[in-house]
Amino acid sequence: MSDREAGARRRPGDGLWVAILQSPGSPGDPETNLVELRRTAERARRQGLDLLVTPEMFITGYDIEQPLADLARSNLLDPVRRIARSCRVAIVVCLPEIDSSVEPRMYNTAYFVDSHGEVRGRHRKSHLFGDLDRRLFEPGDRPFTMVDYRGVKIAMMICYDVEFPENVRAAAIAGAHLVAVPTAQMEPFAFVADHLIRVRAWENQIYVAYANHSGKERGTTYVGGSSVVGPSGEVLARIETESGMADAWIDTTAVAAAQRANPYLHDRRPGMYRALVDPSHATSPQG
């Protein structure tokens, strides 16, 4: 598709085209994964897409033999920035990040790299799942990180983060149109990809782009099921267990309309929910 043809694909109104990548990648082989990322970003550009969301730890692999810290010490972000700039496509990429400002510690971090290769946002995974996460990473301190890109407010989360309704609700209250989620969802949790992501979109009337691995890494088998879900809970794009790329249009006016039609955000009663953060406010049931 030429640039002119890609431009003709654009829709009226405010929004952007978002793509999700699903792939087994090449665990422990950043160079090969960067080649795949470039090939996918080039395809996204030819198709007139604006943003590519990649799986959690796609560049390095996630459950791999060699220590992620060794790979984190190499500069993996700059090659991604060059790919985004040369392909003129924004990329959400998840990398191991070492922060030695106080003491050596590693975070599971998603970066929003715009189509000029500039880093517009960084989200450190705030909710760590299981022994693998807790052995490798420190938790971040934000429920989400928001990036305003081409008029679309995009909240970044990573995998387990999106499974907490408080995180997504907080992003929706802050005005998010889209939640972008690099993930490494594995067996036996296919129901998260199949059902929970639709619920998160519906209960907040926003879009969710959920990009998962396929295949296996050591003892971890990934469930695929990557999707883009709309504010109505409708699956707009989906990849089952295979590899590939899928895309959908993110329409900010559809978010506004859905939130008027299904006013969960407006009808909340925050004073009733204080027990979520302060158990002393919990009330006992009455007969």
Side-chain angles (χ1 to χ4, degrees), residues 245-284:
M245 185 181 76
D247 63 84
W249 175 252
I250 307 303
D251 183 351
T252 60
T253 61
V255 172
Q259 291 176 349
R260 288 192 299 269
N262 300 292
Y264 288 140
L265 300 185
H266 178 270
D267 291 345
R268 292 179 308 114
R269 298 179 62 187
M272 296 183 66
Y273 317 141
R274 294 181 66 184
L276 288 173
V277 294
D278 185 353
S280 68
H281 288 276
T283 57
S284 59

Side-chain angles (χ1 to χ4, degrees), residues 13 32 41 56 72 75 118 160 162 169 178 198 203 205 207 211 240-241 245 269 279:
T32 298
E56 183 179 10
N75 185 348
E118 298 299 320
Y160 198 37
V162 79
R169 178 55 54 85
L178 166 67
R198 296 183 66 186
E203 66 192 0
Q205 284 74 54
Y207 292 88
E240 295 296 339
T241 57
M245 185 181 76
R269 298 179 62 187

Side-chain angles (χ1 to χ4, degrees), residues 23 86 99 105 112 119 148 167 171 205 217-218:
S23 171
S86 64
D99 182 354
R105 61 183 65 184
F112 189 104
V119 177
D148 192 330
N167 288 348
Q205 284 74 54
E217 289 178 338
R218 295 205 299 176

Side-chain angles (χ1 to χ4, degrees), residues 9-54:
R9 190 185 186 194
R10 307 207 64 78
R11 297 188 179 182
D14 297 324
L16 54 75
W17 283 100
V18 62
I20 49 174
L21 170 66
Q22 179 167 295
S23 171
S26 299
D29 187 352
E31 290 187 6
T32 298
N33 293 325
L34 286 166
V35 169
E36 182 175 353
L37 178 63
R38 176 174 290 278
R39 185 168 61 245
T40 306
E42 288 171 346
R43 178 183 171 195
R45 175 59 186 174
R46 289 194 301 271
Q47 295 183 9
L49 309 179
D50 301 296
L51 171 64
L52 173 63
V53 183
T54 62

